[in-house]
Amino acid sequence: MTYITLLLLASITFTTRYLFLEGKLPIRLGPNIRCLLSFSGPAVLTAIFIPILFIHQQQLDISMSNAYLWGGLAASIAAYKTSSVYWTIALGTGLFLLTGMFF
Amino acid sequence: MIKRQKALLAAVSKGAVDMLPLSLAVLPWGILFGSLAIQRGLSGFEAQLFSALVFGGAVQIVTVELMAENASLVTILFSALIISSRHFLYGLTLREKLRVQPLSWRMSIGFLLTDELFSLSGHPRAYQNKFRLYYALGAGGSFYFAWNTWTAVGIVAGSWLPDLTKLGLDFAIAATFIALVVPEIKHLSTLICVVVSAFFALVFSLFDVAFGLVAAAILGMLAGFFVQKLRSK
């Protein structure tokens, strides 16, 4: 049973990734749609990380004791100033752990 | 001929080097998944197969939890579809570049097309020639290798590690994505896109809306698109 579930899961993730790369699909993307899609990267990644920072136990957590917000703030400033993935993760995680211990 | 092979090899390693920070950043999640799978009753082999075949982050963690709760197959598959649906947007975005490539390239890039590989696909000439295809193969392939290695570490360590799900490991993912998004905000349109996407991601997540992530992303994309159209008039 586990193996069948596993294979079905694998075909779902593969299909979602591969489907629109298939040339035979009768879809043509006009310039407007292409411009719209150029925003997909930042839009999707933001929609993933914002709830990680702000929502805990199904509730909005905007308080000084939310270490995720401090870490996120440090990471954002580091990303803006350095554009380096290493610095962003190091400084973000650093402040995240520090405030997590403090509060 | 040998020169060309060397150049292709250089492209592969450049991809792997560019991906390295992201490959390292998924270490906590890989370990989390490996240990979680063991603690939820999967065998080591099954857990490894998960990462080898499904090759997703959140989708693996959520489905293992659902399987442990004896959720129905339909529930498991539907949750997987919801979480993976954002990849439709990535496929559409890269469609014009990749649809003309041979099947073997489309299949391999398609299999490796994670959030991380997509974020390295922004170059205007990405996937347009052999070198850029090999570059993507190096980037995506090394990330696949890393994800599976971290999973294996989690599997081995899983029996003596405590339950890691409450340790705040998800912050590493947030920090990684901040690192990918913030430097991309160079125009007002991108800023508006990100703000709108963030707002609706919070609202939809609080109200537990199915496909909320993709819906929030599409609303953000529309906002960015309209701002760009207005400003170019």
Side-chain angles (χ1 to χ4, degrees), chain A residues 17-18 21-22 25 43 68, chain B residues 55 95 99 106 170 197:
Chain A
R17 287 169 184 163
Y18 178 77
L21 303 182
E22 174 52 59
L25 272 189
Y68 284 82
Chain B
F55 189 38
R95 174 172 174 78
R99 68 186 186 91
R106 273 184 284 125
D170 46 354
S197 174

Side-chain angles (χ1 to χ4, degrees), chain B residues 8-165:
Chain B
L8 290 178
L9 200 65
V12 171
S13 34
K14 172 135 183 17
V17 169
D18 286 357
M19 186 60 97
L20 189 63
L22 307 180
S23 299
L24 294 174
V26 291
L27 181 145
W29 263 49
I31 292 184
L32 170 67
F33 172 74
S35 63
L36 183 75
I38 298 300
Q39 282 157 8
R40 299 295 185 269
L42 258 64
S43 73
F45 180 71
E46 288 164 349
Q48 192 67 59
L49 212 56
F50 240 99
S51 287
L53 296 179
V54 181
F55 189 38
V59 85
Q60 289 183 210
I61 291 169
V62 169
T63 48
V64 161
E65 292 277 20
L66 286 173
M67 284 163 80
E69 292 162 18
N70 280 319
S72 72
L73 185 60
V74 177
T75 309
I76 295 174
L77 297 180
F78 190 63
S79 310
L81 180 66
I82 290 176
I83 299 170
S84 294
S85 54
R86 65 183 188 279
H87 293 106
F88 286 130
L89 289 175
Y90 298 161
L92 266 178
T93 308
L94 300 178
R95 174 172 174 78
E96 294 305 316
K97 287 173 174 165
L98 273 163
R99 68 186 186 91
V100 289
Q101 299 297 342
L103 181 69
S104 55
W105 274 113
R106 273 184 284 125
M107 295 272 264
S108 3
I109 299 298
F111 179 76
L112 296 172
L113 192 55
T114 51
D115 298 308
E116 283 78 1
L117 180 59
F118 181 73
S119 72
L120 292 186
S121 307
H123 195 280
R125 284 199 304 280
Y127 304 108
Q128 300 294 63
N129 58 48
K130 263 263 138 58
F131 297 102
R132 293 201 170 270
L133 284 169
Y134 273 91
Y135 170 83
L137 191 67
S142 64
F143 189 73
Y144 179 78
F145 177 75
W147 177 245
N148 277 279
T149 308
W150 308 145
T151 303
V153 173
I155 292 170
V156 174
S159 38
W160 52 266
L161 280 177
D163 193 331
L164 295 175
T165 46

Side-chain angles (χ1 to χ4, degrees), chain A residues 19-62:
Chain A
L19 186 68
F20 289 115
L21 303 182
E22 174 52 59
K24 291 200 191 75
L25 272 189
I27 301 173
R28 278 268 164 199
L29 304 175
N32 276 333
I33 295 291
R34 270 192 250 178
C35 173
L36 178 71
L37 285 167
S38 69
F39 292 99
S40 61
V44 173
L45 297 184
T46 301
I48 297 174
F49 80 73
I50 288 291
I52 296 180
L53 300 182
F54 284 88
I55 297 181
H56 302 117
Q57 281 102 43
Q58 291 290 343
Q59 283 185 343
L60 194 63
D61 181 3
I62 305 180

